[in-house]
Amino acid sequence: GMSLMNAAKSVLLALIVSLVQCAAFLPLHQRHTWSWSRVQSFPAGDDNEEIFNDFEDMFIGGQQDDTLLPSDTQGLQARLDLLINQEHEDEVRIAGNWKNGHWSVRGCSLDPGNEDERILVSTLCPIDDSNTVLVGRTDGSICWLELGSEYIARFVTKLTATEGKNDTIRVTEQLRREDTQNEISSDSSPTSNQFEVVCQVMASEGGISQMLVLDELLLCATYSGTIEYWVLSNDEPISEESKILCKAPSPVVSMCTQALDGRRVLVCTCEDGDVLTWDIDAQFAVIQSRKLSAVVTPGDAILSFYSDETNTYFGTSQGHLLVYNTRDILSSTFDVDAIKRFSPFTDGSAGVSAIVSSPESAFASKSQASMTLILGSTNGKIKQYALIPQNGGLEHWPRLESQSIPGKCHMFECPSEERVRALRIIPDAVLAATSNQLTLWNPENGDLLFEMLGLDFVSTEPSLVLFDSNSVLITNGMKNLVCLHDFSEEELDIDENFEGI
């Protein structure tokens, strides 16, 4: 009996020691604050029974007989401190690289098709908690692309035979790595990660304009207006064939999901003002399909859309911005009214072509509750506003061109009058896409930090994916290429690398 007790206690000791060691290697986003108390032994009813304390030499977070913490515990804390410091240093370096325009580029080429029908990368969509990005193309194909460290990888379309039903052989066209010699790599190690196309599917008709991944579902909208989806297992489709959800009444501007009373709701906004909503968890039961008459007046159209947990924003071609309560958009069965509407650009011919918001206060002083709203126009202007909750509605500031936001820039001095096609907020900067370039702006003083030239966001709308804690920007805009702009690079030591030149 005593040997069994000792054996049980030894197993328990091994388990706890293992847990302590593993705690040192927890990913930072899973790190917890540990609170350890001293282990004590209590008699189990028999005063003469000997109590075996397997922990008498190991006290974590407490003291035994007023002695200091064991060196093992100090080592654990040192490793945790090292990880925290490394994370902070990485964040500072990445933010500095964004501001200074210091990055490296790598990517892959997907089969461009033929001269009569070029195939372009039209949209990108990351899969959470993975190293995979979905790539939608103008031929209607979607491929699962595992990201690599190579400078360039090439994939071509090849006939591939797979086993079909009833012992048949099915021949399909699939993207496969091109056999090349002397492959260039940014990582010369023999275990360098490679770009790989894991699988691909084909939409029912038309090129891919929008994509969205929700755990077990992949949803897409095509240029022809079809909205369809695939069921996923382990992030891959269980069938190559999609299920059609609906045919949109006009081109799809945006797709997103929001939560409503614990349910997931798919929101699809169309150019003519139709807003379609489905209850995803009720097998896509239609919640409503309606046109917001207050959004689009005759001759007007939706150009841009953005939604967060609180507000939903619509930008129109005639220069109006309308803000709705998100819950009203998701649940109301009647035509609701906007909680805020105004024309942000004084030029009446400028439409609101890009929208992005942030819950961060636009004011340096946190005493005034506000949100940050950044808008782009069809004539190249970018403006930053503060949205201030007031009496159940919203007020915007500045109200006049002559007014300003303390410590922030209201209007950015853009280098061209080309349409702003997309906006993103990254730490301490604003990223904007126009017809042929990406620009990065300082939101505090409006300075242009740098430009990325040579892009084409006219043939396909810009798709900008911030990946790996904002350290990598993945873009389309270069025909059949998927481009990774890596801002995690170490700063270049000029003296060391160019000595003697």
Side-chain angles (χ1 to χ4, degrees), residues 210 252-258 266-271 274-277 292 295 302-308 311-316 321-322 324 326 329-330 352-357 375 421 423-424:
Q210 306 275 340
V252 177
V253 175
S254 178
M255 290 195 311
C256 72
T257 60
Q258 288 291 350
L266 172 65
V267 182
C268 177
T269 303
C270 302
E271 192 175 281
D274 281 287
V275 178
L276 316 175
T277 51
L292 294 178
V295 175
I302 298 293
L303 290 185
S304 54
F305 171 90
Y306 189 85
S307 181
D308 56 38
N311 300 318
T312 295
Y313 308 84
F314 297 87
T316 78
L321 180 80
L322 300 105
Y324 287 76
T326 296
I329 293 294
L330 298 180
V352 180
S353 55
I355 307 170
V356 68
S357 74
L375 306 172
R421 296 177 177 271
L423 291 166
R424 296 288 185 274

Side-chain angles (χ1 to χ4, degrees), residues 409-475:
C409 174
H410 171 46
M411 186 165 64
F412 300 84
E413 295 296 332
C414 300
S416 72
E417 295 185 354
E418 294 182 343
R419 170 179 171 173
V420 179
R421 296 177 177 271
L423 291 166
R424 296 288 185 274
I425 295 177
I426 61 174
D428 303 320
V430 175
L431 181 67
T434 56
S435 296
N436 58 12
Q437 65 181 8
L438 291 171
T439 53
L440 196 77
W441 302 87
N442 185 327
E444 295 181 356
N445 55 26
D447 286 348
L448 176 61
L449 299 175
F450 65 82
E451 301 170 282
M452 296 183 186
L453 304 176
L455 300 163
D456 174 13
F457 292 134
V458 177
S459 301
T460 58
E461 288 295 315
S463 187
L464 313 177
V465 173
L466 290 168
F467 200 79
D468 197 12
S469 301
N470 295 325
S471 67
V472 177
L473 171 68
I474 309 176
T475 69

Side-chain angles (χ1 to χ4, degrees), residues 1-18:
M2 189 63 66
S3 60
L4 289 176
M5 180 183 299
N6 286 334
K9 291 179 180 291
S10 298
V11 170
L12 179 61
L13 173 61
L15 177 60
I16 292 181
V17 170
S18 175

